[in-house]
């Protein structure tokens, strides 16, 4: 179901279960929303966010499409959105790893008393989290939709780009606001991206506000994970376990080098890859109709 400008159903805060709990394996708290259709035993989907985003903003079109057929768990990554900061964590020094972020997802399931979910759908950083989750916790998830992940940390030289963003983010109280416009341009590149933002001004403004309000501590902590990961091992493990059919890689045609990276990922894992034409990084919003149909077809029991 394609998004409709100014008429996208909000994530229902009064339905289901919202909570914040302390992780058992780290001095941090995670905010989540478990949207359930009352008195219906539906398959469960877990959604995992991109860097600097929140579940309340990122998944509106997705929830509108799937809310009557699935129960949906959404959560904010550590130090993002409604997941609060932790005094016991060295945000700028230690950083996070994708192994930790994958274990956070497992801890949410433990907290909710859910042994296994039907599908995990992740975007960008959330997609990488999902692939690590499948490799580390295979028995707890059926299908994985990894949208917009890379194979490994940025190529040589790109670290300087990350560090430049970190410097801006941590420079004064308005660092994230300074990064917001350029982030949105990267997320929605080229003429198709500009056209989408121009014709969906309400959604554009909402995304900009989300980016401006993002916590710099969470941004930096998760940047460290993005600077230090390699999915080669997890993807090989997925293939060795015979789980390749359970993984769908999705990428926007205009998302820089990531289409080629995802083709390499598909070869390593022996999984399928789908490329969405004229889409950038945030394909679940820019091309919501195409994205939701792909996911629906792949995860339908």
């Amino acid at each position: 179901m394609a998004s409709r400008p100014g008429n996208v159903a909000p994530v229902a805060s009064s339905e289901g279960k919202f909570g914040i709990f302390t992780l058992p394996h780290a001095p941090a708290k995670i905010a989540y929303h478990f949207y359930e259709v009352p008195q219906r035993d539906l398959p469960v989907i877990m959604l995992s966010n991109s860097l600097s985003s929140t579940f309340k903003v990122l998944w509106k079109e997705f929830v509108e499409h799937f809310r009557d057929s699935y129960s949906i768990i959404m959560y904010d990554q550590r130090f993002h959105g409604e997941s609060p900061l932790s005094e016991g964590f060295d945000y700028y020094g230690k950083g996070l790893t994708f192994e930790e972020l994958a274990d956070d997802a497992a801890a949410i399931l433990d907290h909710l008393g859910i042994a296994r979910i039907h599908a995990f759908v992740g975007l960008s950083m959330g997609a990488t989290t999902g692939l690590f989750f499948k490799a580390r916790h295979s028995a707890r998830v059926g299908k994985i939709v990894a949208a917009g992940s890379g194979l490994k940390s940025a190529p040589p030289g790109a670290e300087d780009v990350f560090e430049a963003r970190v410097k801006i983010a941590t420079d004064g109280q308005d660092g994230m606001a300074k990064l917001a416009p350029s982030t949105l341009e990267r997320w929605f590149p080229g003429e198709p991206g500009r056209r989408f933002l121009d014709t969906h001004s309400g959604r554009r403004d909402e995304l900009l506000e989300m980016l401006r309000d993002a916590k710099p501590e969470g941004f930096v902590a998760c940047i460290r994970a993005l600077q230090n990961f390699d999915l080669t091992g997890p993807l090989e493990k997925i293939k060795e376990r015979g789980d390749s059919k359970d993984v769908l890689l999705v990428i926007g045609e205009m998302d820089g080098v990531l289409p080629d990276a995802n083709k390499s990922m598909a070869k390593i894992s022996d999984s399928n890859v789908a490329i969405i034409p004229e889409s950038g990084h945030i394909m679940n919003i820019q091309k919501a109709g195409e994205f939701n149909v792909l996911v629906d077809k792949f995860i339908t029991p």
Side-chain angles (χ1 to χ4, degrees):
M1 183 181 299
S3 61
R4 299 187 297 275
N7 191 30
V8 176
V11 175
S13 60
S14 61
E15 299 179 70
K17 181 188 299 182
F18 174 82
I20 299 176
F21 77 104
T22 301
L23 291 168
H25 55 275
K29 295 182 178 182
I30 295 291
Y32 65 89
H33 183 111
F34 186 20
Y35 176 81
E36 298 176 276
V37 177
Q39 284 132 8
R40 293 183 65 190
D41 185 19
L42 297 175
V44 179
I45 302 174
M46 190 173 211
L47 306 179
S48 188
N49 300 350
S50 58
L51 182 69
S52 300
S53 67
T54 69
F55 69 74
K56 285 187 175 180
V57 174
L58 193 65
W59 296 107
K60 287 186 176 183
E61 294 85 352
F62 189 95
V63 170
E64 181 186 21
H65 183 96
F66 288 95
R67 65 192 301 167
D68 293 330
S69 302
Y70 294 88
S71 295
I72 301 172
I73 302 170
M74 299 171 285
Y75 69 99
D76 284 331
Q77 303 273 16
R78 287 198 211 181
F79 322 128
H80 280 65
E82 296 192 47
S83 293
L85 299 180
S86 169
E87 295 180 359
F89 186 84
D90 181 3
Y91 310 110
Y92 301 128
K94 181 178 180 295
L96 292 169
T97 68
F98 278 106
E99 288 84 357
E100 290 175 308
L101 295 175
D103 291 347
D104 289 356
I108 296 169
L109 299 185
D110 291 340
H111 179 73
L112 293 171
I114 297 173
R116 180 179 170 87
I117 57 175
H118 177 67
F120 186 111
V121 181
L123 178 70
S124 190
M125 179 176 73
T128 310
T129 300
L131 292 167
F132 272 91
F133 181 76
K134 183 67 171 177
R136 292 172 69 83
H137 304 282
S138 178
R140 306 204 65 174
V141 60
K143 301 293 184 72
I144 296 286
V145 179
S149 175
L151 173 59
K152 58 180 67 176
S153 302
E159 293 88 347
D160 294 338
V161 175
F162 276 130
E163 288 304 324
R165 294 174 192 164
V166 167
K167 184 177 180 180
I168 294 171
T170 56
D171 184 18
Q173 295 184 346
D174 61 346
M176 296 306 297
K178 293 176 181 177
L179 282 175
S182 60
T183 299
L184 202 63
E185 289 178 6
R186 285 196 308 276
W187 280 3
F188 297 88
E191 178 57 30
R194 288 189 293 272
R195 185 168 60 248
F196 175 85
L197 294 174
D198 287 343
T199 56
H200 296 74
S201 58
R203 207 67 171 104
R204 177 198 63 206
D205 294 345
E206 189 176 35
L207 288 164
L208 276 172
E209 182 179 8
M210 176 190 75
L211 291 168
R212 293 182 188 119
D213 290 344
K215 302 180 184 74
E217 296 91 345
F219 177 80
V220 174
C222 289
I223 279 281
R224 300 310 180 203
L226 290 164
Q227 287 178 310
N228 187 31
F229 80 95
D230 188 341
L231 273 167
T232 303
L235 292 171
E236 290 174 341
K237 184 178 291 186
I238 288 169
K239 181 179 179 179
E240 290 167 4
R241 287 176 174 165
D243 290 339
S244 300
K245 67 183 184 305
D246 294 330
V247 175
L248 177 65
L249 307 171
V250 186
I251 194 66
E253 177 187 30
M254 302 182 69
D255 198 3
V257 300
L258 291 186
D260 286 340
N262 275 250
K263 291 174 184 176
S264 297
M265 293 162 65
K267 289 180 180 178
I268 295 169
S269 60
D270 198 24
S271 56
N272 291 322
V273 59
I275 298 176
I276 298 180
E278 294 192 344
S279 180
H281 197 53
I282 310 298
M283 66 205 84
N284 65 309
I285 295 178
Q286 184 178 356
K287 292 286 186 175
E290 291 91 331
F291 180 79
N292 291 338
V293 167
L294 274 173
V295 175
D296 212 347
K297 183 178 179 181
F298 181 68
I299 71 172
T300 296

